[in-house]
Amino acid sequence: MNDKYSILFEPVKIGPLTARNRFYQVPHCCGLGHVRPQAHAAMRAMKAEGGWAVVSTEETEIHPSSDLSPYAEQRIWDEHDIPALRLMTNAVHEKGALAAIELAHNGAHAPNLLSRAPLFAPSDISLDLAHPRQARAMSIREIGEFRRWHRDAVRRARDADFDIIYVYAGHRMSLLHHFLLSDINTRTDEYGGSLENRTRLLREVLEETLEIAGDNCAVAMRFAVDEMRGADGMQAAEEGRAVVELLAELPDLWDVNVSDWSNDSATTRYQPSDGYQTSYIEFVKQVTSKPVVGVGRLSSPDQMVSLIKRGVMDFIGAARPSIADPFLPKKIAENRIDEIRECIGCNICVAADNTGVPIRCTQNPTMGEEWRRGWHPERIEAKRHEQSTLVIGAGPAGLECATQLARRGYHVTLAEAADNLGGRALAESGLKGLGAWRRVVDNRVYELRQRANVDIYTDSALSAEQVVELAIKNVFVATGAKWLGNGLGRSNRQPLTPGKNISVFTPDDIMAGNLPADGPLIIYDDDQIYLGGVLAEHLSAMYADISFVTPASVVSPWTEHTLEQERVQAALMHAGVQLKPNCTLGSVPGGDAAAGSGDGVMQTICTYTGNRHTLPCASLLLVTERCREITLYDELKSMQDTAAIRTLELIGDAASPGLIADAVYAGHLAARDFEADAAVVERALFRREIISLKS
Ligand code: ADP
Ligand code: SF4
């Protein structure tokens, strides 16, 4: 190990326990939870194997009145939940780490859709999700009941062999946080009013948790010191600090961050600096002698050392960096810094949880696959009989496929038509806010260039004949997809026919630097994922007159899942982009370019009424749908037998356009499956966790 990083590997005491180093995987959701306990245990254990000293669960519902269904969080409602949780503690302990559980009652954030229990809050308030339910102000008796539920959950957590038990007041998502916040807690009894009163319940719960935890467990306090809402919310400089002062020496550890979740898990698009929470949480260590863990997309070992040396934190907390690279601590310990797969801050991991499916990661395609496919982020089966492989296309699918084939020991020839490597990942990383996405390319190209068994050719647009001439019998075609320029998409199933004097552009044009000469510019986003909004933000600095037309009711609706939608829409509005939601785009009906009607204008068509409005248009950017680049693949397929090509695989966007994460995953899967037993590839896609029929 490089000496300058040895401070990161010092053991640190947490109450009665000792963590083996300063790497701490803080609680994070993963879409596995109580629904997929074996997958959950294997995923957490992988972090322990990768060197993390503490590995935590996600939010763990303590009672049916905190039921987050249909989301797959953790659950500890009664003793029947203990065996599933013990899968995790056993697996984590086996790899030498401490296991932490984040006990949670979500109050007015839990819809209780499964349990149909009443909703609880300090004061009457609507559920903070779009379900037709309201929470009621808890009576003193109900507050007592809640304390009992929490105590019971602590006992069960102890029985499930957790080492660290959390008390959770963060993200504006937990009852204990709600009691602290003056805009949610408007009580006039001893639990409301002054900050001391609003902190009362938290103190009681902390004290009771400590008492039950006893000498074998430590108690962590997770607290959001600042809501990042200025004077409208709790601020680190005022009440946030005061709460820490009131409870300073009570917990065994302070796990501090900012609220809400979109601020805590900020994307690089809106928060490019790693370590972005430091200025909010750095006061905490001045107030308490207990160890402090902080987060903020911390992947750089130099930054970590500086945070410890400057006394900002004792533990390097991580959710996303531990997802992107579960072996981050080991790589630092073994002086393999260049091999760290850095989080790109895209929140595809968050999107999985928000859509109720198992976690996935753009950078780490093995994330969530540890149990169901048996994938290990650092290990892959060695090659069998074949020697050489050809990967065509060096976008995310081709780069990942080539990297894993090379790791397996095959000779890899990687051919790319462009003069650079990276395909869409490189192209998109040139757009405003997406610079960090380049890490997808850089990490893989770095590794490929280290390997003697890899030959890389750029400026090499291969034809089918050239592929045959190369005489490599195993070919992976990752030629990607191009954006359509005819307007076909989700809403328009007939091509658009823009009138005279309208120049049409696609996202590929913009990313290649082929920009409209002048406005007015219409951006038509029928893709509705993220790219339309990114392009609008990118171009808003260059063109004064931009209209953003979309059939969706908001800009980039899919970015709700990555916690960005409000930011995207606000950025466009601040930039003066004219938003035209709930509209498809069409030409002037019966427009005749020769006669001048429909010349230099398009029409918006209301998706509800069909009402049309004319919009001036000199340039039209269509973000609608992609066309798979499969000409080469089809030609090779037709000559596969005569050319004696043994393996011919179409992967990535050329097979099924999707996210960069999907392309990386497809490349990884193809490399893993190459030469695998047919029975293994053909059997059910992956292991499933079937619900037991025992009652
Ligand atoms: P994916 O997301 O599936 O990796 P991309 O569109 O990012 O797809 O990348 C596909 C890459 O394939 C592009 O960089 C493109 O230049 C390259 N490519 C397309 N056709 C050929 C070809 N015939 N020979 C070599 N490279 C090609
Ligand atoms: Fe980071 Fe994106 Fe992976 Fe999440 S999905 S850990 S944000 S790289």
Side-chain angles (χ1 to χ4, degrees):
M1 188 197 308
N2 185 329
D3 275 355
K4 71 176 169 174
Y5 302 132
S6 57
I7 191 171
L8 300 174
F9 294 89
E10 291 169 349
V12 182
K13 279 193 73 71
I14 310 175
L17 310 169
T18 303
R20 61 183 166 183
N21 61 41
R22 296 183 186 270
F23 292 92
Y24 192 117
Q25 183 243 281
V26 296
H28 71 75
C29 300
C30 62
L32 300 170
H34 68 94
V35 181
R36 303 173 183 93
Q38 296 175 99
H40 179 260
M43 183 272 281
R44 301 293 183 197
M46 195 61 80
K47 316 264 193 105
E49 185 181 332
W52 299 85
V54 179
V55 177
S56 309
T57 63
E58 58 275 65
E59 292 180 293
T60 304
E61 308 162 356
I62 62 166
H63 187 263
S65 61
S66 176
D67 156 33
L68 293 166
S69 307
Y71 300 105
E73 310 306 326
Q74 234 7 299
R75 188 163 277 177
I76 192 162
W77 289 0
D78 62 33
E79 70 280 7
H80 295 104
D81 295 308
I82 293 176
L85 290 165
R86 222 182 252 135
L87 290 179
M88 170 185 161
T89 51
N90 285 342
V92 165
H93 289 156
E94 215 168 89
K95 303 289 181 191
L98 300 172
I101 182 167
E102 185 183 46
L103 297 182
H105 193 295
N106 294 87
H109 180 70
N112 297 347
L113 292 172
L114 176 71
S115 67
R116 306 188 72 172
L119 274 54
F120 293 119
S123 312
D124 279 10
I125 190 168
S126 298
L127 180 73
D128 73 349
L129 304 165
H131 292 291
R133 300 208 70 183
Q134 284 186 212
R136 70 164 182 251
M138 295 168 81
S139 65
I140 292 292
R141 185 186 59 75
E142 285 167 338
I143 289 176
E145 297 254 276
F146 161 69
R147 286 169 56 187
R148 180 171 59 76
W149 301 335
H150 202 280
R151 289 195 302 270
D152 290 346
V154 174
R155 285 190 194 93
R156 291 192 287 269
R158 207 188 47 193
D159 293 348
D161 294 329
F162 281 98
D163 307 289
I164 300 173
I165 300 176
Y166 265 82
V167 172
Y168 174 44
H171 294 120
R172 215 177 160 84
M173 279 186 191
S174 85
L175 189 57
L176 289 169
H177 202 203
H178 297 159
F179 267 84
L180 289 177
L181 302 174
S182 58
D183 61 335
I184 298 181
N185 180 353
T186 56
R187 301 175 74 94
T188 51
D189 62 7
E190 66 268 37
Y191 288 100
S194 68
L195 183 66
E196 206 152 5
N197 277 357
R198 282 181 276 132
T199 312
R200 184 178 311 280
L201 181 59
L202 182 55
R203 175 188 290 280
E204 288 169 347
V205 168
L206 252 179
E207 285 170 347
E208 289 167 353
T209 303
L210 280 156
E211 198 182 316
I212 298 165
D215 295 338
N216 297 325
C217 297
V219 174
M221 173 71 227
R222 194 173 206 204
F223 173 54
V225 298
D226 199 299
E227 290 193 89
M228 298 179 84
R229 299 198 296 141
D232 291 338
M234 186 173 275
Q235 299 188 79
E238 295 170 6
E239 286 199 339
R241 183 183 181 112
V243 170
V244 182
E245 284 172 350
L246 282 170
L247 305 173
E249 297 301 316
L250 255 190
D252 296 314
L253 173 134
W254 281 91
D255 174 349
V256 283
N257 60 1
V258 294
S259 173
D260 57 6
W261 191 13
S262 69
N263 291 320
D264 189 20
S265 292
T267 56
T268 41
R269 184 169 169 192
Y270 293 105
Q271 187 49 270
S273 329
D274 297 345
Y276 54 87
Q277 301 200 19
T278 304
S279 61
Y280 294 93
I281 60 112
E282 60 193 348
F283 76 88
V284 179
K285 266 191 70 66
Q286 296 154 19
V287 177
T288 177
S289 67
K290 299 302 172 88
V292 172
V293 53
V295 291
R297 256 188 358 247
L298 305 172
S299 302
S300 149
D302 290 316
Q303 187 179 33
M304 294 174 189
V305 169
S306 152
L307 288 168
I308 304 291
K309 285 198 169 155
R310 280 164 44 219
V312 176
M313 54 184 77
D314 302 284
F315 283 103
I316 303 301
R320 290 172 296 174
S322 77
I323 294 167
D325 198 337
F327 277 63
L328 188 149
K330 274 226 161 117
K331 287 178 183 174
I332 299 173
E334 293 167 5
N335 212 14
R336 297 190 286 133
I337 311 291
D338 293 336
E339 294 176 33
I340 295 171
R341 256 191 319 262
E342 291 167 293
C343 168
I344 68 167
C346 60
N347 278 6
I348 295 304
C349 48
V350 173
D353 183 65
N354 275 334
T355 41
V357 294
I359 189 166
R360 59 216 55 200
C361 169
T362 304
Q363 277 287 56
N364 172 14
T366 68
M367 178 47 51
E369 306 289 341
E370 300 83 357
W371 180 83
R372 70 176 195 174
R373 286 190 187 273
W375 286 1
H376 189 288
E378 302 300 314
R379 286 203 296 273
I380 189 164
E381 195 195 335
K383 71 182 170 70
R384 292 191 175 183
H385 314 294
E386 297 289 337
Q387 299 301 324
S388 299
T389 57
L390 170 64
V391 179
I392 305 171
L399 286 176
E400 175 66 13
C401 185
T403 305
Q404 298 304 333
L405 288 171
R407 283 188 182 188
R408 291 190 63 185
Y410 298 103
H411 185 272
V412 180
T413 302
L414 176 62
E416 165 55 51
D419 60 1
N420 49 30
L421 301 170
R424 66 176 285 202
L426 184 72
E428 291 179 30
S429 74
L431 297 173
K432 183 163 186 257
L434 303 190
W437 292 22
R438 211 196 139 99
R439 294 171 179 178
V440 173
V441 181
D442 293 343
N443 287 156
R444 288 164 177 81
V445 169
Y446 174 81
E447 179 168 344
L448 287 167
R449 292 208 190 279
Q450 306 303 305
R451 292 190 178 269
N453 58 336
V454 178
D455 291 322
I456 301 176
Y457 299 96
T458 48
D459 292 307
S460 301
L462 294 186
S463 64
E465 290 69 30
Q466 286 168 323
V467 172
V468 174
E469 271 168 34
L470 284 171
I472 301 172
K473 300 300 174 202
N474 304 294
V475 182
F476 297 84
V477 182
T479 43
K482 289 265 178 296
W483 287 92
L484 290 173
N486 61 9
L488 282 184
R490 285 199 159 81
S491 309
N492 293 51
R493 293 318 300 169
Q494 295 297 324
L496 285 173
T497 50
K500 221 166 52 175
N501 293 335
I502 296 179
S503 310
V504 176
F505 296 83
T506 69
D508 294 314
D509 291 323
I510 308 299
M511 291 188 280
N514 174 17
L515 299 178
D518 44 27
L521 168 64
I522 295 179
I523 300 175
Y524 180 48
D525 183 15
D526 197 12
D527 176 50
Q528 305 179 27
I529 309 300
Y530 64 87
L531 195 61
V534 171
L535 286 163
E537 241 184 288
H538 185 77
L539 294 171
S540 64
M542 303 173 215
Y543 301 89
D545 188 353
I546 300 181
S547 296
F548 187 92
V549 181
T550 178
S553 52
V554 296
V555 175
S556 303
W558 190 83
T559 59
E560 283 280 354
H561 301 313
T562 55
L563 312 175
E564 292 172 301
Q565 195 281 326
E566 286 177 23
R567 287 165 169 78
V568 179
Q569 188 139 348
L572 296 196
M573 291 169 85
H574 285 307
V577 173
Q578 297 297 311
L579 303 184
K580 312 277 180 197
N582 301 318
C583 290
T584 58
L585 196 70
S587 312
V588 177
D592 179 350
S597 64
D599 180 5
V601 293
M602 294 295 291
Q603 288 197 323
T604 59
I605 307 160
C606 174
T607 52
Y608 296 106
T609 63
N611 287 347
R612 289 174 166 262
H613 292 282
T614 298
L615 267 184
C617 179
S619 305
L620 173 60
L621 169 57
L622 295 170
V623 190
T624 60
E625 200 167 274
R626 282 179 283 169
C627 172
R628 299 182 298 125
E629 288 278 311
I630 52 173
T631 316
L632 174 63
Y633 175 80
D634 285 344
E635 282 174 24
L636 289 172
K637 193 83 201 158
S638 70
M639 56 173 73
Q640 185 171 3
D641 291 341
T642 47
I645 297 174
R646 279 197 285 275
T647 311
L648 181 63
E649 284 261 1
L650 185 67
I651 58 172
D653 288 320
S656 177
L659 297 168
I660 292 175
D662 298 318
V664 171
Y665 182 77
H668 192 92
L669 178 64
R672 290 249 181 198
D673 276 355
F674 179 45
E675 286 204 278
D677 296 334
V680 172
V681 178
E682 279 170 19
R683 64 153 200 240
L685 280 175
F686 41 75
R687 285 205 283 174
R688 293 184 296 139
E689 304 196 46
I690 309 282
I691 290 169
S692 163
L693 297 181
K694 279 191 256 162
S695 59

